[in-house]
Amino acid sequence: QASSILQACEKRIRYCSSMVNASEWEDGDHVSAVLEKYLDGDILSAEERRCVDHVIQGHGVSYHPNDVAGVLKSVYTTRDDVGFPKGLHSMDFGQHVSGPGLNDALARDDIDTDHRINLLDMETITIDDASTVEIDDALSARETERGIEVFVHIADPTRWLHMPDHVLAVEARQRTRTVYLPDGKIPMFPSRFGTDVCSLREGALSPALTMHCCIREDGSIIEDSMDVFPSNVSSNKRLTYDMVDRILLEDNNTMVSVLHRAAERRERRRGQDGAQTLHIPESSLSVSYNEDTKEKEVTLTRVSNDIASASRRLVSEMMILAGDIVARVGSSLSLPLPYRGQEMPVRPSNEELEQIPEGICRSYYMRKFMLSSLTRVSHPIHHTGLGLPGYVQATSPIRRYGDMLAHWQIKSALRGDLPLYDAESLQTVVDEVQKTSKRIAVLERSVDDYW
């Protein structure tokens, strides 16, 4: 099955020097090694491609060379220990995870119950695409004399998964994150847990981890207002981005408007602090099977770019704000966390920029100069792209294992316990997660490029 991916991508594979001897292809470990090399960007020779054919025929795998996504899906929906890289597993979690493992998690008491704050009476909304089923963030805000008080509520899977050695947590670590493909996704958690139990669904009582602060008119955060705490919330209304955009055009007296004003303040402030904001349109790619024509149909939809969509900028700012708060609180506790940062890029000269048209063209040009993000676990590092002294991704624990690591660390400190990971052990896990996530990203881009 691993070999079939390589063979299905034949048109995109160029020749290269040695990788694996032809006589050794019967060993499944070598199949795995070649797949891993492919996911890291390496390529096969003609002789090795013939070996791929041999292995595929020997295992009775059938495929069509122009149906890459179909092959990928067939691999995901079967379980085989042929050596598929860690993190790229099937959509079937197996009985030990989705059965007894899940039931064991759901039966566990809440170890944070003594200091979990009840926010059920607070107006709370979620803003997502209409198709989103894993709802991992919700928002609340209100005007006060000190400024705009903001609450960012994040789904709390560690309410049930107290330790990283639980079978669901072990499976999540192997998967690393939810994998998104044009014809479907491979979730990090079973849907019964990620979608039904953890998601902040409208009208449901949901455990959450809440990031709270008060924002001054100039966009700065009042230092003594920052807090992170376990909570219980209930979403009053599920909104889509389009719905929020319409609300902002029609009514200035809603909580959505208060959130929008808070987001505008933060965006201005980050810009003053050197944030590098690139406005590049995004697209949504989907592949569906037409029962009538018996063919797959590809739909490419342009998503409103964030210059035009106030709702997307609002949500983006609130998620950045949450990561800022977690980094500051973590630093005050001397807590090992996956702190993310970005060094200052070498910017082109003003003369160079003036030759590039403003807007999309200039954004694409500027993106070439942006440096990759860095991760340190001992202390926050400056994030030039976001204009922040520190940042921690912690807003998608249903979909990203790294975010769940941050939740475990923060919550153990809030309970007065030692953190689950010291700096050295956390760095080891973070390195593993980033390596697997990189491979998944390469796979996702490869399939997107094909369609």
Side-chain angles (χ1 to χ4, degrees):
Q1 292 171 342
S3 303
S4 70
I5 295 181
L6 302 178
Q7 180 66 9
C9 296
E10 181 176 0
K11 290 184 178 180
R12 306 192 57 217
I13 298 175
R14 294 178 289 112
Y15 291 92
C16 74
S17 57
S18 64
M19 283 174 68
V20 180
N21 293 330
S23 61
E24 296 177 335
W25 264 87
E26 288 298 330
D27 187 340
D29 289 340
H30 293 293
V31 177
S32 171
V34 173
L35 177 59
E36 291 196 14
K37 284 181 178 293
Y38 168 72
L39 292 175
D40 283 334
D42 287 351
I43 42 184
L44 295 177
S45 70
E47 180 183 5
E48 288 154 353
R49 224 164 19 242
R50 287 194 294 271
C51 295
V52 171
D53 278 335
H54 177 70
V55 173
I56 291 175
Q57 292 168 6
H59 287 279
V61 177
S62 61
Y63 67 96
H64 189 286
N66 292 327
D67 187 13
V68 179
V71 172
L72 287 170
K73 197 147 191 176
S74 71
V75 170
Y76 285 132
T77 53
T78 59
R79 293 194 68 88
D80 194 339
D81 295 326
V82 74
F84 217 60
K86 247 183 205 181
L88 300 181
H89 288 255
S90 79
M91 286 183 282
D92 175 20
F93 283 80
Q95 183 59 32
H96 71 293
V97 175
S98 57
L102 178 54
N103 292 335
D104 173 76
L106 298 181
R108 297 197 170 196
D109 293 332
D110 181 6
I111 60 176
D112 298 301
T113 187
D114 290 340
H115 56 283
R116 191 177 291 277
I117 298 177
N118 191 339
L119 300 179
L120 297 176
D121 293 334
M122 177 176 288
E123 183 181 0
T124 302
I125 61 171
T126 62
I127 306 172
D128 290 285
D129 287 310
S131 60
T132 300
V133 295
E134 295 171 327
I135 304 173
D136 44 23
D137 58 83
L139 303 170
S140 303
R142 57 194 177 197
E143 296 272 12
T144 71
E145 292 183 359
R146 302 179 75 192
I148 300 178
E149 195 174 12
V150 173
F151 301 79
V152 181
H153 315 289
I154 305 300
D156 187 10
T158 60
R159 148 66 181 88
W160 295 276
L161 306 181
H162 303 160
M163 299 290 287
D165 60 358
H166 190 277
V167 63
L168 259 70
V170 171
E171 182 76 12
R173 177 172 172 174
Q174 291 179 338
R175 291 171 180 256
T176 301
R177 66 172 177 85
T178 296
V179 180
Y180 293 95
L181 297 174
D183 56 350
K185 68 176 184 178
I186 297 88
M188 190 175 79
F189 284 124
S191 59
R192 183 181 161 206
F193 185 68
T195 302
D196 298 340
V197 174
C198 296
S199 287
L200 307 183
R201 294 176 292 117
E202 182 178 354
L205 188 157
S206 302
L209 186 65
T210 294
M211 294 79 175
H212 164 260
C213 74
C214 196
I215 301 173
R216 297 186 182 95
E217 189 169 352
D218 66 358
S220 62
I221 298 174
I222 299 176
E223 289 291 330
D224 64 6
S225 71
M226 286 187 298
D227 197 8
V228 180
F229 54 88
S231 62
N232 283 317
V233 301
S234 180
S235 171
N236 303 99
K237 187 71 174 177
R238 175 177 179 175
L239 301 175
T240 65
Y241 290 110
D242 290 340
M243 292 168 66
V244 170
D245 284 332
R246 289 195 296 270
I247 291 172
L248 292 174
L249 289 174
E250 297 168 357
D251 193 345
N252 291 321
N253 297 314
T254 65
M255 190 182 72
V256 170
S257 301
V258 177
L259 283 165
H260 184 233
R261 288 194 290 275
E264 287 183 319
R265 291 182 182 183
R266 287 298 296 161
E267 187 175 32
R268 283 195 302 270
R269 180 69 184 207
R270 291 194 307 106
Q272 294 166 4
D273 292 338
Q276 308 289 314
T277 304
L278 302 180
H279 297 290
I280 297 176
E282 297 180 0
S283 61
S284 174
L285 182 66
S286 63
V287 177
S288 58
Y289 183 75
N290 188 313
E291 292 288 350
D292 296 328
T293 63
K294 307 300 182 186
E295 293 180 353
K296 289 191 174 181
E297 296 181 346
V298 182
T299 304
L300 185 62
T301 306
R302 176 171 172 153
V303 178
S304 296
N305 98 40
D306 56 3
I307 295 178
S309 175
S311 60
R312 292 183 184 276
R313 290 164 60 191
L314 184 163
V315 172
S316 176
E317 283 299 327
M318 293 300 103
M319 298 306 105
I320 293 171
L321 174 64
D324 185 6
I325 294 171
V326 171
R328 296 196 201 199
V329 171
S331 178
S332 70
L333 297 171
S334 300
L335 187 63
L337 284 169
Y339 298 102
R340 296 171 66 91
Q342 187 180 48
E343 295 180 345
M344 178 70 73
V346 179
R347 291 175 56 88
S349 66
N350 291 333
E351 290 76 15
E352 284 182 274
L353 283 180
E354 287 174 359
Q355 298 178 37
I356 310 294
E358 291 187 24
I360 296 172
C361 292
R362 189 172 294 182
S363 290
Y364 270 102
Y365 183 70
M366 286 294 296
R367 189 167 68 173
K368 296 194 304 179
F369 296 89
M370 301 300 290
L371 301 177
S372 299
S373 62
L374 306 170
T375 303
R376 298 288 184 271
V377 299
S378 56
H379 61 274
I381 48 180
H382 189 267
H383 200 301
T384 299
L386 297 178
L388 298 175
Y391 177 71
V392 175
Q393 276 191 330
T395 57
S396 297
I398 304 176
R399 299 182 286 121
R400 293 192 300 242
Y401 185 80
D403 294 35
M404 200 157 65
L405 286 174
H407 280 223
W408 274 318
Q409 293 291 92
I410 283 281
K411 289 175 68 178
S412 62
L414 295 177
R415 290 193 296 268
D417 299 336
L418 289 174
L420 294 184
Y421 294 96
D422 60 21
E424 183 178 357
S425 59
L426 181 61
Q427 187 69 61
T428 299
V429 180
V430 167
D431 289 345
E432 174 197 310
V433 166
Q434 288 183 335
K435 183 178 180 181
T436 304
S437 187
K438 177 183 175 182
R439 292 175 177 173
I440 294 173
V442 170
L443 181 63
E444 289 172 330
R445 285 196 300 270
S446 187
V447 180
D448 281 353
D449 288 348
Y450 168 80
W451 286 113

